[in-house]
Amino acid sequence: MSSASFGSARPGESTPAISDAHRGPTGVLEIPQRFLMGPGPANADPRILAAQSLPLLGHMHPPFLKIMDEVQQGLRYLFQTGSKYTLCASGTGHSGMEMAIANLLEPGEKIVVGNNGIWGTRVCDMAERFGAEVINLQTPAGTSFSLEALTRAIEEHKPAVLFLCQGESSTGVHQSLAGVGDVCRKNGTLLLVDTVCSLGGVPLYADEWQVDAIYSGSQKCLSAPPGAAPLMFGERAWAKLKNRKTKVRSYYLDLNLVGNYWGWDAPAPRAYHHTGMTSMWYAMREALAIVAEEGLDAMWARHEAVHKQLWEGLRSMGLEPFVEDPKDRLMTVNTIKVPEGVDWAAVCKNAMDKYSVEIAGGLGPTAGKIWRVGLMGYNARPANVELVLAAFRDGLVQQGFLTN
């Protein structure tokens, strides 16, 4: 205990001795080095981390607003859209998910959720919380939805929104978007796509594929820390928002307000909504500059090359993909069947303890059945793949699945 006597205390307020029972922490923070080769977050590019150490600016200062404008420009390239309605939600990918649901759906409206993993399940839960009528369209874990199945659901239910996850990180499935946007437009439905673990790693053409709304995350293929959710609304999504009959139920995520702060209402002046995430937007500006410098074609090709390298090595050990149809396999989060008699958790523990490599187990419908290896952004490099393969080989030898 230390004594206290403060002249700033208001009349009548007591000033007891300060308690040191929970004082701390003290000293300089130390973090162990890890190779984050699971489904995310991935290791951040050092250039991006360095950008976060730059001096803070005020969240309405012109130099900071210019950085926000550059982020929007970079997102247009990344999403392959000409839409002016791009920004980053202040939060992780879940904030982008909730922002999209909160703004696109009104109470009583229908949403068809393409649910083939944990993210479809989360959207069902979230949409219900906002009062929507949820049609939970399911397919077994490890499979994708056919255009025919999606068309039937859209034509039967005539939903306000169709949700699909381009890259389902809990199962390793890559959902095709071919033809889906056209079907949605013919039926007055908005197409909302989750790209949290796929954006920057696999092809995406928002305008060409007629995608109305997209959200993503900063911490995977974009090589930035968690904390930003890239988001895009097309003209149809923007019109839906502006013609709502009810207020958006979340003040913090209301794109009428957040969008204005990002300049969506230009030439109308920007207004303060919440304190912009200054250092995080520095990181996103730098991440998007790295994307532009490499080019999307080269970036997509790099992810495909390491995906093929990984599977060449895994197959040589007798390991098999969880996703049976090759066209449905996601390149950024690879899912591997756990062989009979192998302790999946022991392999993960050995990889971390001996190699400082994170290999993840399953999630949701795949828990205990698979391993997940992320090859995303800064980590999508041949040397990292070789390290992952060495960790797998060692762990499988220890369990007698492989011999030296």
Side-chain angles (χ1 to χ4, degrees), residues 259-276:
N260 173 270
Y261 176 45
W262 281 83
W264 284 13
D265 296 327
R270 300 186 190 200
Y272 164 75
H273 175 255
H274 67 277
T275 302

Side-chain angles (χ1 to χ4, degrees), residues 264-286:
W264 284 13
D265 296 327
R270 300 186 190 200
Y272 164 75
H273 175 255
H274 67 277
T275 302
M277 297 178 67
T278 312
S279 298
M280 192 65 224
W281 296 167
Y282 296 172
M284 282 304 300
R285 187 269 177 202
E286 209 66 6

Side-chain angles (χ1 to χ4, degrees), residues 60-76:
M60 296 299 290
H61 289 185
F64 184 62
L65 298 180
K66 180 177 182 292
I67 291 169
M68 294 171 69
D69 290 343
E70 291 181 349
V71 168
Q72 291 182 88
Q73 178 185 351
L75 290 176
R76 291 186 192 103

Side-chain angles (χ1 to χ4, degrees), residues 87-109:
L87 54 70
C88 285
S90 299
T92 61
H94 275 83
S95 68
M97 177 190 289
E98 188 151 348
M99 179 175 274
I101 295 296
N103 284 272
L104 293 179
L105 285 170
E106 296 195 68
E109 289 186 330

Side-chain angles (χ1 to χ4, degrees), residues 73 109-111 113 119 124 135 139 162 172 218 223 238 255 263 267 304-305 314 329 331 333 397 401:
Q73 178 185 351
E109 289 186 330
K110 292 181 181 179
I111 178 172
V113 177
W119 306 118
C124 287
I135 294 93
T139 190
L162 168 69
S218 56
S223 306
W238 178 245
L255 280 168
E304 182 177 10
L314 292 174
R329 290 177 195 149
M331 292 187 294
V333 179
V397 166
F401 182 77

Side-chain angles (χ1 to χ4, degrees), residues 1-20:
M1 289 281 202
S2 59
S3 60
S5 178
F6 301 108
S8 59
R10 299 300 86 195
E13 293 178 341
S14 62
T15 56
I18 294 171
S19 170
D20 290 333

Side-chain angles (χ1 to χ4, degrees), residues 107-176:
E109 289 186 330
K110 292 181 181 179
I111 178 172
V112 169
V113 177
N115 184 358
N116 61 346
I118 191 172
W119 306 118
T121 300
R122 294 273 173 98
V123 169
C124 287
D125 185 341
M126 201 171 285
E128 286 178 351
R129 291 167 186 256
F130 283 97
E133 180 182 342
V134 175
I135 294 93
N136 185 4
L137 184 66
Q138 294 181 287
T139 190
T143 65
S144 68
F145 293 94
S146 68
L147 179 60
E148 292 73 22
L150 294 172
T151 301
R152 284 194 301 271
I154 292 167
E155 291 179 346
E156 176 185 353
H157 298 287
K158 301 292 184 182
V161 175
L162 168 69
F163 167 84
L164 292 174
C165 186
Q166 186 188 36
E168 176 49 79
S169 62
S170 69
T171 62
V173 169
H174 183 167
Q175 173 64 49
S176 172

